[in-house]
Amino acid sequence: MSVTMKDIARKCGVSVATVSKVLNEKDLDVSTAIRDMVKRTSKEMGYVLNVLAQSMKTKNTKTLGIMMPDIKNAFYTDICRGAEDMAMKSGYSLFLCNTDDKIEKEIHYLEKLMEKQVDGIIINASMERNTKMEEIQKVSVLFAVLNHNTHYPGCSVRVVADNENGMREAVNYLAPLGHRRIFYLAGETVLSFQEDRLKGYKKGLSDWNLSYDERLIAKTAFSIEASKQYLMDHGLPEGVTAICAGNDLMAQGVLQWARDKNIRIPDDLSIVGYDDSIFSRVSSPMLTTINQQSYKSGELLAEMLLKYIEGFNEIKEVLLEGSLVIRGSTGPVRTT
């Protein structure tokens, strides 16, 4: 039989109301000695707070859900850590769902989280989208979105990384080093951040009066294996001296391909990644990349969503600027 507040009150010789105040952390008018005794006794007796019963009274379960496309990608792991730390600081628990970049799985978890009556959901959308499926989905809780152009009705909060200026900065760094044919290895997705990065790539070229050439654009999945296989199959167009990759995983694939082909990095080819994940710091050479403030993104998403849950809804969207981190995978074009 489970332990009740009445059992604890009897053991401590206090009222049930006093026990309730202590266990629900509304005990400002309770003495320190009684508070410590109640907490110690409840722990010794194995008492577990009935969150479901409590939520029926308060309409708040103190839980959030977070959906990530691929938890193996360190970029998403950092977002989760930021969100989790902010949630815990605010007294909330976080349920993590990995969607494997599949819209069906994303919607399945969305429905399950609503069934669990979480107070809010953070969505980092899967690469695979289906507008019709999204538009008819009724989301009954507050939710926040990172970056992407999802079509779920009623989004409360959005945190957006400045992808356009991030990629523009990458090109503006490479061009003064003498790179004139810069290959852009983009990711396969219909999400808006990819369009923004392509705009940034084009603007960077324009800043240096470099012509845009569609032959210098290719798309693969956002993975080490996909980018490496693309280069194994197709190689690079003649004259390319630098590559901007869609994320750090893709840049790792480029590094592996270059190593297999005895292409020296950065002497023969410069590489810029995107995300500044842990992968950028453990590669050889370490990777020049764009820092997207992934941890800060998760922190902000949770913070803004919690403010909405508590009734403060002044801020709808926040733009996070990226920054170039220069390491050993880039250098000036060699002259012969």
Side-chain angles (χ1 to χ4, degrees):
M1 185 180 294
S2 59
V3 178
T4 66
M5 288 188 185
K6 188 180 288 187
D7 298 328
I8 298 168
R10 189 182 302 115
K11 184 86 177 275
C12 293
V14 298
S15 69
V16 175
T18 298
V19 173
S20 177
K21 285 180 180 179
V22 173
L23 297 181
N24 287 292
E25 297 183 350
K26 297 178 180 178
D27 51 7
L28 294 178
D29 60 342
V30 179
S31 71
T32 302
I34 291 177
R35 187 186 305 130
D36 291 345
M37 178 178 63
V38 169
K39 287 184 175 180
R40 184 175 63 253
T41 303
S42 66
K43 188 173 183 180
E44 289 170 354
M45 296 179 72
Y47 176 77
V48 178
L49 187 65
N50 190 334
V51 176
L52 182 59
Q54 186 184 47
S55 68
M56 290 174 69
K57 295 177 183 177
T58 64
K59 306 298 182 184
N60 189 310
T61 62
K62 290 287 184 179
T63 56
L64 300 176
I66 185 167
M67 298 194 296
M68 290 288 125
D70 182 7
I71 200 61
K72 297 197 302 291
N73 186 331
F75 171 68
Y76 298 126
T77 307
D78 287 345
I79 294 171
C80 289
R81 287 305 305 269
E84 181 189 29
D85 289 349
M86 177 55 67
M88 180 161 282
K89 190 189 301 182
S90 306
Y92 280 71
S93 298
L94 191 70
F95 294 139
L96 170 62
C97 302
N98 183 70
T99 65
D100 290 325
D101 267 331
K102 301 297 182 186
I103 184 63
E104 291 86 356
K105 198 171 179 182
E106 181 180 304
I107 289 176
H108 167 78
Y109 277 131
L110 190 58
E111 291 171 348
K112 290 299 177 184
L113 288 170
M114 287 189 289
E115 286 176 12
K116 296 292 183 185
Q117 297 185 341
V118 297
D119 300 314
I121 301 173
I122 295 169
I123 301 173
N124 194 341
S126 59
M127 300 297 176
E128 181 183 280
R129 307 311 306 160
N130 184 312
T131 303
K132 289 183 179 178
M133 289 176 69
E134 293 171 76
E135 287 178 341
I136 63 171
Q137 186 69 34
K138 289 181 171 57
V139 185
S140 59
V141 299
L142 296 170
F143 69 98
V145 173
L146 176 66
N147 281 336
H148 308 322
N149 51 337
T150 58
H151 295 90
Y152 299 122
C155 175
S156 307
V157 175
R158 190 183 302 273
V159 173
V160 181
D162 195 346
N163 286 286
E164 182 175 320
N165 279 327
M167 190 58 75
R168 185 177 188 175
E169 188 174 0
V171 176
N172 276 324
Y173 165 66
L174 291 169
L177 296 176
H179 298 283
R180 294 295 176 264
R181 286 177 64 75
I182 302 169
F183 193 79
Y184 178 29
L185 191 56
E188 291 177 335
T189 178
V190 296
L191 292 172
S192 57
F193 77 89
Q194 192 63 276
E195 297 171 12
D196 293 338
R197 289 183 191 175
L198 182 57
K199 287 178 188 174
Y201 170 78
K202 290 178 178 179
K203 285 184 177 179
L205 295 177
S206 178
D207 291 339
W208 290 87
N209 295 316
L210 301 176
S211 59
Y212 171 69
D213 186 345
E214 288 189 356
R215 292 172 297 178
L216 299 184
I217 307 288
K219 292 183 179 181
T220 75
F222 286 93
S223 70
I224 296 172
E225 299 79 12
S227 61
K228 181 180 180 181
Q229 190 59 54
Y230 174 86
L231 292 171
M232 292 293 289
D233 294 340
H234 303 282
L236 286 173
E238 186 177 352
V240 168
T241 58
I243 296 179
C244 290
N247 69 1
D248 289 343
L249 290 176
M250 298 168 77
Q252 292 299 316
V254 178
L255 283 171
Q256 290 185 10
W257 167 78
R259 194 155 43 242
D260 291 349
K261 296 293 184 180
N262 294 317
I263 295 171
R264 296 170 300 171
I265 308 297
D267 293 346
D268 302 325
L269 182 69
S270 285
I271 304 170
V272 179
Y274 213 105
D275 290 344
D276 194 26
S277 66
I278 185 63
F279 296 105
S280 65
R281 299 186 288 279
V282 298
S283 63
S284 180
M286 289 195 290
L287 194 63
T288 296
T289 186
I290 303 295
N291 183 303
Q292 284 205 84
Q293 300 192 65
S294 51
Y295 180 89
K296 183 67 175 177
S297 296
E299 202 174 40
L300 268 175
L301 282 163
E303 181 182 20
M304 292 167 65
L305 186 57
L306 288 168
K307 284 182 178 177
Y308 261 74
I309 290 168
E310 292 164 8
F312 303 99
N313 53 7
E314 294 88 357
I315 302 173
K316 182 78 174 178
E317 181 171 301
V318 170
L319 180 68
L320 277 180
E321 293 184 2
S323 58
L324 179 71
V325 181
I326 301 171
R327 298 194 180 98
S329 68
T330 51
V333 173
R334 282 202 321 154
T335 56
T336 56

